[in-house]
C-alpha cells in the first residue's frame, strides 16, 4: 500500500480504509513524524533566544559552603548566572512537589543527590553556557550519604532533610490498607504460608526526547509562554501561577510534540523554573535542554520498592489472605506524582486478580540521597509494583505446593459473576472475565505442549526452558473527583467540540499525547458519535490557551477520562443537531432517529430514513438563516467536563517462554503471548502498538535495567552504555490476543491500556526465568536477571537433580 495514503488498505499493518469511527487506521500524526516535520521543544527557535545550562552537584550529599559565580558572569557571551541565593531573594529557591513536599530549584544549603541543580547560566549560545559552568566555583563539604533505603531509618543515619523544621530522621510516611486483624487471624490458622522478599529495582522511563523548556516572558504584555514537553500542561500553568504569583491568564503552557513521556514528564523540573527566571531576568526568551546523562541522573525515576510478600492458603491451593510490607525509596525530595490521598499510589490493588478473603499492606516511605521521583515508567501509580508482587507470590506459592502456576491462578481468579467486585482493600473493579482471558492465552501458547517439552528437556539436558505466567488487573483513569486530586486540583477533564458550517470539526481536549496517538483515536471517538470521517476532525491539545482545563495524560487516564468527555461532548452536539434537524424537517425532535451508514450520520424521521438530514447539512443550517425553535441556540458547538464515576479496570493474561543457557546465564525470550482486555478498542492498531511498547519495557526491566549507585552515591548508569534499553534484538515477535469486556460506566465502554503491558509483563518474564531455574532449587532472584545474576543464582544452589 501507498505509505502516504492513510486511507489505503495496508495488509502489512492490518490498517484498513479510514473507518467512520472505531477501527484500524494509520495514525494521523505519523505523516509529520515520519517526514521529520514534528515540532519538539528543541525545535522552538525564537528571535533573540538565549540558552541555559545547569551546574550540577558532583556529590550525593554535601553542605554548600560558598558559590562564586563571578568568573562565569564575566565570561564573554554570558548574560546571567542564577544561583540558589538569587532565587532565595525571589522566594523561588524551593518549589512544591506533586506530593506536597518541597524540592530545591537551585541548592542553597546542601546538595542531596548527585546531579542536583546548583546554578544556572544563561548565555548567547548553548556552548558558551556550558563552558561557563566550569568557571563557577562551589565549595562543598562532603557529608555521609544514605544510599541503601534499608539503612535510612537506622539510628544515627545522616538526616537528609534538615531543611524541614523538626525533622530528625529520613522517614516520610507510613500508609496502610486492608484489615490487619482479619488478615493476621487467617495467617495464624492457615494450612500453608509462604513469604518472599523482593526488590523492584529503581529504573528510569528514559524517553528518547529528554526534558527541556523554552520560556518567553514578554515584559510589555506581562505574558509568560513556556514550551515544555509536559504531560499535564494545565496543572503546570496553575502551579506556576500559585507559586510565582503570576496571573494565571497571563501564563501559556505549550506542550508541543513530545518524544515519549512514560510518566517522567508529569512534574515540574528545576530547569523549567530556571528558564522562566532566566527569561524574566534578561527580558529575552531562554531555552534549556538537558542531555541524556542529566535526564537519567535527575529526572523522575521509577519503582525502588523493597517488598516482602506473604500468602496464606489451603493445601489444595485456595489463596485466603495476602500480607505485604514495603519500604519505598523516594529519594531526596518526595516528588512522586499521584493523587493526594494515595502516598503509595494505587499499590492498594495488590490483591491483583484474585478473590482473596483478607489483605493488609503497610508502606513506609523514606528519603535517600538519590534523585526524586517514584511514579513514572508506565506504572499506573505503582500498580507495576503491586502486580509484580502478587504475581511473583503466586509462583512462590505454586513452587511450595508443587502446583501448576496456571492451574493455581485459574483456581483463584475472580469469577465473572462477581463483578462489579469489591476488593478486600476497597477498590471496585468495574468488569471482567478473567478465566476466559487466561484460557485464551494458554491455548495460544499451547501450554500443555510446552510443559511436555520442558519435562523432556529436564530429563535429557540442554538449554533450560522456562514458562512464566502473569495475570494482571489495573486501575486506570483517575479519577472520581471526590476521591482524587493532585495538589488540590480535581481529576476531571474538559472537552470542547466545534462543528464548522461545512461539517468539519475541531475537538479541544486537556490531555496531551506523548506518542499515544490521541490525534487519531480522539478524532475516531468524535467520528463514531457524529458519523463523520476521522479525517474531518482536528484534535487540538497541549496548549493551555487553546484547550479547556483538565489534569493531563498519565495513569492511562486519557481514554477513560478525556475520551469519555469527548464522547459526551459529541453527544451534546448530536442532540443539538437533532433540534436543528427537527426545524429543518418541520418535525418534532421526538420523532427523529439517529443512524450512521456508510454515507455518514443523519437525523431522520422515524421509519423513513430517506427523509433526513446529514450532520453536514445540519451544521450548515445551524449557521444559516434557518429559523430555530425558541431556546435553541445556533451553531453546533458544545463543551463538557467529565468527572469519572469510577476507575476502569483493564486486565490481561501474559505467558512468556524463555530459553536459558545454564553455562552463561543468558536468557533468550523465545515467545511472548499477551491477551489484553481493555474493553472496547477505539483503534485496535494503536492499542496493539501500546502493548508492543509495554512488552518491550517488561523485557527491559526484567532482564536489563537498573539505576545503580555506589556506596558514595555515585550514579553508575548515567548513559545508555550502562542503562540498557531493550531493542528488537531482545524482543520476540509478539503474539497478541484480545477479549472485550466493556467498562459499564464509560460512555463507549473503553478502558485505558497505555500502561497495561509495562505493568503486566515483567512478572511473566521473571516467572519464566525462575521456572527455568527451578530444577536448581532457585525460588527467587531479583530483577534485572542479567546473565551475571542468573549465573550466580545457578551457582548458589544445589546441582541439577
Ligand atoms: N486506546 C484505544 N482503545 C482503548 C484504550 C486506548 O484505542 N480501549 C488508545 C487511546 O485512545 C490512545 C492510546 O490507546 O490513543 C493510549 O490510551 P490510554 O490507555 O488512554 O493511555 P493515555 O493516552 O492516557 O496514555 C498514557 C499512558 C501512560 S500513563 C504512559 S506512562 C505511557 C503510555 O501511555 N507513555 C507513553 N504509552 C506511551 N506510548 C508512547 N508512545 N509514549 C509514551 O510516553
Ligand atoms: Cu506512572 S507513568 Mo504514566 O502514568 O505517565
Amino acid at each position: 500500500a501507498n505509505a502516504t495514503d492513510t486511507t489505503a488498505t495496508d495488509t502489512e499493518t492490518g490498517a484498513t480504509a479510514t473507518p467512520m469511527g472505531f477501527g484500524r487506521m494509520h495514525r494521523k500524526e505519523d505523516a509529520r513524524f515520519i517526514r521529520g516535520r514534528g515540532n519538539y521543544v528543541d525545535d522552538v527557535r525564537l528571535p533573540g533566544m538565549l540558552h541555559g545550562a545547569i551546574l550540577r552537584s558532583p556529590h550525593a550529599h554535601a553542605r554548600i559552603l560558598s558559590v562564586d559565580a563571578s568568573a562565569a558572569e564575566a565570561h564573554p557571551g554570558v548574560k546571567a548566572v542564577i544561583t540558589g541565593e538569587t532565587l532565595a531573594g525571589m522566594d523561588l529557591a524551593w518549589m512544591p512537589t506533586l506530593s506536597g513536599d518541597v524540592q530545591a530549584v537551585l541548592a542553597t544549603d546542601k546538595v542531596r543527590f548527585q546531579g542536583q541543580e546548583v546554578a544556572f547560566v544563561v548565555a548567547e549560545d548553548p556552548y558558551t553556557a556550558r563552558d561557563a559552568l566550569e568557571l563557577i566555583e562551589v565549595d562543598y563539604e562532603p557529608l555521609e550519604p544514605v544510599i541503601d533505603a534499608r539503612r535510612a531509618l537506622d539510628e544515627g543515619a545522616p538526616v537528609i532533610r534538615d531543611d524541614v523544621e523538626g525533622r530528625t530522621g529520613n522517614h516520610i510516611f507510613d500508609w496502610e490498607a486492608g484489615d490487619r486483624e482479619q488478615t493476621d487471624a487467617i495467617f495464624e490458622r492457615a494450612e500453608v504460608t509462604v513469604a518472599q522478599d523482593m526488590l523492584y529495582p529503581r529504573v528510569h522511563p528514559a524517553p528518547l526526547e529528554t526534558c527541556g523548556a523554552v520560556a518567553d516572558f514578554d515584559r510589555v504584555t506581562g505574558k509568560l509562554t513556556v514550551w515544555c514537553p509536559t504531560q499535564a500542561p494545565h496543572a503546570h500553568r496553575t502551579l506556576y501561577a500559585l507559586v510565582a504569583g503570576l496571573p494565571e491568564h497571563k501564563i501559556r503552557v505549550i506542550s508541543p510534540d513530545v518524544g515519549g513521556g512514560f510518566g517522567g514528564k508529569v512534574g515540574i523540573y528545576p530547569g523549567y523554573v530556571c528558564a522562566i527566571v532566566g527569561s524574566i531576568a534578561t527580558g529575552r526568551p531562554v531555552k534549556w535542554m538537558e542531555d541524556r546523562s542529566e535526564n537519567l541522573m535527575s529526572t523522575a525515576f521509577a519503582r525502588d520498592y523493597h517488598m516482602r510478600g506473604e500468602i496464606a492458603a489451603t493445601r489444595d491451593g485456595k489463596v485466603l489472605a495476602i500480607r505485604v510490607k514495603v519500604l519505598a525509596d523516594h529519594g531526596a525530595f518526595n516528588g512522586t506524582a499521584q493523587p493526594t490521598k494515595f502516598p503509595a499510589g494505587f499499590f492498594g490493588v495488590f490483591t491483583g486478580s484474585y478473590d482473596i478473603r483478607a489483605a493488609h499492606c503497610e508502606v513506609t516511605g523514606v528519603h535517600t540521597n538519590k534523585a526524586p521521583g517514584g511514579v513514572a515508567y508506565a506504572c499506573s501509580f505503582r500498580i507495576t509494583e503491586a502486580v509484580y508482587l502478587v504475581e511473583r507470590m503466586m509462583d512462590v506459592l505454586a513452587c511450595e505446593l508443587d502446583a501448576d502456576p496456571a492451574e493455581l491462578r485459574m483456581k483463584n481468579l475472580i469469577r465473572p459473576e462477581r463483578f462489579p467486585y469489591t476488593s478486600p482493600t476497597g477498590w471496585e473493579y468495574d468488569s471482567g472475565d478473567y478465566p476466559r482471558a487466561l484460557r485464551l492465552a494458554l491455548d495460544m501458547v499451547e501450554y500443555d505442549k510446552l510443559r511436555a517439552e520442558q519435562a523432556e528437556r529436564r530429563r535429557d539436558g540442554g538449554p533450560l526452558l522456562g514458562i512464566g505466567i502473569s495475570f494482571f488487573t489495573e486501575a486506570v483513569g483517575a479519577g472520581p473527583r471526590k476521591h482524587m486530586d493532585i495538589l488540590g486540583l480535581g481529576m476531571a477533564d474538559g472537552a470542547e467540540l466545534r462543528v464548522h458550517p461545512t461539517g468539519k470539526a475541531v475537538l479541544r481536549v486537556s490531555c496531551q499525547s506523548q506518542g499515544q496517538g490521541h490525534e487519531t483515536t480522539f478524532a475516531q471517538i468524535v467520528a463514531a458519535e457524529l458519523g463523520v470521517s476521522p479525517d474531518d476532525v482536528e484534535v487540538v491539545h497541549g496548549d493551555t490557551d487553546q484547550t479547556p482545563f483538565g489534569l493531563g495524560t498519565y495513569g492511562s487516564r486519557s481514554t477513560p477520562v478525556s475520551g469519555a468527555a469527548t464522547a459526551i461532548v459529541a453527544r451534546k452536539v448530536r442532540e443539538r443537531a437533532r433540534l436543528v434537524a427537527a426545524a429543518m424537517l418541520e418535525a418534532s425532535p421526538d420523532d427523529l432517529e439517529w443512524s450512521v451508514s456508510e454515507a455518514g450520520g443523519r437525523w431522520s424521521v422515524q421509519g423513513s430514513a430517506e427523509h433526513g438530514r446529514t450532520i453536514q447539512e445540519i451544521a450548515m443550517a445551524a449557521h444559516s438563516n434557518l429559523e430555530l425553535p425558541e431556546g435553541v441556540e445556533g451553531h453546533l458547538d458544545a463543551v463538557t467536563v467529565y468527572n469519572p464515576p469510577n476507575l476502569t479496570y483493564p486486565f490481561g493474561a501474559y505467558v512468556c517462554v524463555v530459553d536459558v543457557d545454564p553455562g552463561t546465564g543468558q536468557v533468550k525470550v523465545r515467545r511472548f503471548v499477551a491477551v489484553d482486555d481493555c474493553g472496547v478498542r477505539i483503534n485496535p492498531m494503536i492499542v496493539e502498538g501500546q502493548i508492543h511498547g509495554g512488552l518491550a519495557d517488561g523485557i527491559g526491566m526484567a532482564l536489563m535495567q537498573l539505576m545503580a549507585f555506589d556506596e558514595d552515591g555515585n550514579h553508575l548508569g548515567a548513559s545508555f552504555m550502562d542503562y540498557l534499553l531493550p531493542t528488537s534484538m531482545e524482543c520476540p515477535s509478539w503474539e497478541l490476543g484480545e477479549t472485550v469486556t466493556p467498562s459499564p460506566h464509560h460512555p463507549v465502554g473503553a478502558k485505558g491500556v497505555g500502561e497495561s503491558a509495562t505493568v503486566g509483563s515483567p512478572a511473566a518474564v521473571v516467572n519464566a526465568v525462575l521456572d527455568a531455574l527451578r530444577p536448581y532449587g532457585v525460588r527467587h532472584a531479583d530483577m534485572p536477571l542479567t546473565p551475571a545474576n542468573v549465573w550466580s543464582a545457578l551457582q548458589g544452589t544445589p546441582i541439577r537433580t
Side-chain angles (χ1 to χ4, degrees):
N2 181 349
T4 61
D5 181 1
T6 56
T7 63
T9 301
D10 183 333
T11 45
E12 285 268 296
T13 62
T16 54
T18 305
M20 194 74 81
F22 297 175
R24 287 173 186 277
M25 67 177 271
H26 284 140
R27 302 199 311 175
K28 294 169 66 169
E29 44 273 76
D30 281 346
R32 71 175 186 277
F33 294 149
I34 289 168
R35 295 175 203 188
R37 297 295 291 272
N39 189 34
Y40 300 87
V41 169
D42 205 19
D43 294 319
V44 175
R45 286 188 185 89
L46 302 179
M49 188 170 77
L50 300 172
H51 296 265
I54 292 178
L55 180 72
R56 293 175 182 275
S57 167
H59 301 287
H61 199 190
R63 195 164 302 289
I64 295 181
L65 301 178
S66 66
V67 180
D68 180 358
S70 50
E73 276 163 350
H75 190 65
V78 169
K79 294 291 163 190
V81 180
I82 297 162
T83 62
E85 208 175 309
T86 327
L87 292 182
M90 307 162 79
D91 207 14
L92 284 176
W94 296 84
M95 63 178 184
T97 70
L98 295 176
S99 290
D101 190 7
V102 289
Q103 171 176 0
V105 177
L106 294 175
T108 46
D109 53 340
K110 287 204 305 192
V111 286
R112 294 173 169 85
F113 64 92
Q114 191 188 48
Q116 189 183 334
E117 300 79 0
V118 175
F120 187 71
V121 171
V122 182
E124 289 287 357
D125 63 79
Y127 311 101
T128 306
R130 294 235 165 196
D131 285 349
L133 292 183
E134 295 183 16
L135 301 173
I136 301 174
E137 278 189 35
V138 186
D139 198 4
Y140 294 104
E141 176 197 324
L143 302 170
E144 187 192 335
V146 179
I147 302 306
D148 186 343
R150 291 163 299 185
R151 302 270 71 87
L153 299 179
D154 284 358
E155 190 128 355
V159 180
I160 298 166
R161 295 300 301 282
D162 48 357
D163 58 293
V164 182
E165 228 183 80
R167 195 60 83 77
T168 53
N170 297 312
H171 178 265
I172 310 174
F173 67 85
D174 285 314
W175 174 83
E176 62 178 322
D179 189 325
R180 182 199 299 266
E181 262 176 48
Q182 195 193 359
T183 308
D184 289 353
I186 292 177
F187 266 88
E188 265 164 44
R189 293 192 308 267
E191 290 171 6
V192 181
T193 62
V194 286
Q196 183 63 53
D197 288 311
M198 62 188 87
L199 169 68
Y200 204 135
R202 180 174 277 237
V203 290
H204 197 278
L208 273 190
E209 180 203 31
T210 59
C211 293
V214 175
D216 183 17
F217 181 72
D218 186 322
R219 284 181 176 173
V220 177
T221 61
K223 181 125 185 171
L224 170 69
T225 307
V226 184
W227 286 260
C228 70
T230 169
Q231 297 180 220
H234 288 275
H236 277 214
R237 181 187 58 187
T238 303
L239 286 178
Y240 288 140
L242 292 173
V243 175
L246 295 165
E248 196 167 357
H249 65 300
K250 292 285 191 186
I251 305 173
R252 179 179 186 186
V253 176
I254 301 176
S255 188
D257 287 329
V258 179
F262 307 103
K265 290 173 177 168
V266 178
I268 294 178
Y269 290 114
Y272 302 174
V273 179
C274 288
I276 293 170
V277 173
S279 180
I280 292 174
T282 59
R284 287 166 65 177
V286 173
K287 177 188 280 184
W288 164 74
M289 281 306 300
E290 69 190 5
D291 64 22
R292 179 60 54 196
S293 296
E294 293 183 283
N295 181 260
L296 285 168
M297 288 175 80
S298 70
T299 66
F301 74 93
R303 333 283 188 242
D304 222 345
Y305 259 32
H306 298 257
M307 306 187 277
R308 179 179 179 75
E310 292 175 274
I311 283 186
T314 63
R315 189 148 305 283
D316 63 356
K318 175 77 192 114
V319 176
L320 302 174
I322 177 160
R323 197 157 61 183
V324 188
K325 261 194 171 153
V326 179
L327 181 68
D329 184 341
H330 281 233
F333 306 101
N334 186 19
T336 63
Q338 65 208 343
T340 306
K341 287 183 197 160
F342 299 88
F346 295 172
F347 187 80
V349 297
F350 65 93
T351 54
S353 316
Y354 307 108
D355 201 352
I356 298 175
R357 244 185 270 159
H360 183 254
C361 86
E362 290 170 275
V363 182
T364 296
V366 298
H367 286 301
T368 58
N369 287 109
K370 299 181 204 159
V375 165
Y377 204 174
C379 65
S380 300
F381 298 124
R382 302 278 192 194
I383 295 178
T384 30
E385 290 90 328
V387 164
Y388 182 73
L389 176 104
V390 68
E391 289 307 302
R392 275 301 299 130
M393 288 313 297
M394 288 304 275
D395 264 36
V396 167
L397 178 65
C399 195
E400 174 75 22
L401 297 173
D402 202 16
D404 179 90
E407 273 170 35
L408 182 71
R409 283 178 172 80
M410 200 55 106
K411 181 176 271 177
N412 288 287
L413 286 177
I414 300 163
R415 315 315 295 179
E417 59 277 11
R418 299 271 278 134
F419 289 90
Y421 169 83
T422 304
S423 83
T425 47
W427 299 75
E428 194 189 293
Y429 295 13
D430 59 350
S431 65
D433 186 342
Y434 295 175
R436 183 164 62 127
L438 180 54
R439 231 172 285 124
L440 176 59
L442 296 174
D443 288 348
M444 283 174 66
V445 83
E446 297 187 287
Y447 188 70
D448 294 338
K449 237 173 154 173
L450 283 170
R451 284 287 176 211
E453 183 189 343
Q454 184 181 50
E456 203 174 302
R457 287 268 198 97
R458 283 181 180 167
R459 209 174 43 237
D460 304 343
L464 309 169
L465 170 64
I467 307 152
I469 301 172
S470 162
F471 198 105
F472 68 91
T473 299
E474 279 215 84
V476 298
R481 193 150 53 181
K482 65 173 184 246
H483 301 307
M484 288 169 199
D485 68 278
I486 294 215
L487 283 184
L489 299 171
M491 301 189 83
D493 286 358
E496 288 177 18
L497 183 59
R498 291 186 201 164
V499 182
H500 299 320
T502 57
K504 311 290 183 195
V506 175
L507 173 74
R508 295 165 191 277
V509 284
S510 53
C511 59
Q512 155 64 25
S513 170
Q514 300 94 46
Q516 297 91 340
H518 294 175
E519 287 166 47
T520 307
T521 48
F522 281 61
Q524 288 183 272
I525 297 174
V526 173
E529 297 294 338
L530 295 186
V532 299
S533 164
D535 292 332
D536 290 343
V537 184
E538 193 75 6
V539 176
V540 177
H541 59 165
D543 181 343
T544 56
D545 268 11
Q546 306 256 13
T547 57
F549 187 87
L551 274 217
T553 291
Y554 41 85
S556 303
R557 66 187 296 280
S558 303
T559 307
V561 189
S562 283
T566 298
I568 283 172
V569 80
R571 283 172 196 180
K572 281 191 178 178
V573 165
R574 199 169 68 201
E575 279 309 302
R576 172 90 65 82
R578 177 209 282 263
L579 303 178
V580 176
M584 294 170 80
L585 296 165
E586 295 177 347
S588 159
D590 295 338
D591 292 339
L592 300 191
E593 65 183 357
W594 174 254
S595 62
V596 179
S597 69
E598 271 183 18
R602 61 163 58 211
W603 280 112
S604 44
V605 177
Q606 264 164 38
S608 53
E610 74 288 350
H611 194 49
R613 291 290 181 273
T614 65
I615 191 80
Q616 290 84 358
E617 289 166 340
I618 299 168
M620 186 57 87
H623 291 84
S624 75
N625 58 4
L626 172 78
E627 201 160 321
L628 294 172
E630 195 72 33
V632 178
E633 294 175 350
H635 304 180
L636 279 187
D637 305 340
V639 298
T640 199
V641 176
Y642 186 77
N643 176 26
N646 188 6
L647 301 166
T648 66
Y649 291 76
F651 57 92
Y654 291 175
V655 188
C656 177
V657 184
V658 299
D659 293 297
V660 180
D661 181 334
T664 62
Q666 177 81 35
V667 175
K668 176 139 184 57
V669 179
R670 185 205 290 189
R671 289 179 67 194
F672 202 112
V673 167
V675 173
D676 271 89
D677 190 323
C678 57
V680 173
R681 295 183 176 199
I682 296 154
N683 185 328
M685 189 170 71
I686 285 183
V687 168
E688 287 163 15
Q690 289 288 300
I691 293 167
H692 286 177
L695 296 177
D697 284 345
I699 287 189
M701 285 179 280
L703 302 181
M704 303 154 71
Q705 296 178 343
L706 171 69
M707 307 280 286
F709 295 83
D710 71 11
E711 56 191 23
D712 296 324
N714 291 309
H715 197 296
L716 302 179
S719 84
F720 284 160
M721 294 289 284
D722 300 310
Y723 188 78
L724 304 180
L725 297 193
T727 69
S728 55
M729 296 300 289
E730 288 79 32
C731 298
S733 186
W734 311 113
E735 300 169 64
L736 304 191
E738 80 171 272
T739 61
V740 177
T741 315
S743 167
H745 61 80
H746 187 280
V748 304
K751 302 180 178 188
V753 76
E755 298 164 300
S756 287
T758 315
V759 166
S761 59
V765 182
V766 172
N767 284 344
V769 175
L770 291 165
D771 183 58
L773 268 45
R774 215 173 137 194
Y776 291 77
V778 181
R779 195 171 81 166
H780 179 76
D782 281 326
M783 294 185 278
L785 296 173
T786 56
N789 285 354
V790 171
W791 191 82
S792 13
L794 284 167
Q795 303 316 303
T797 47
I799 302 299
R800 197 169 173 188
T801 49

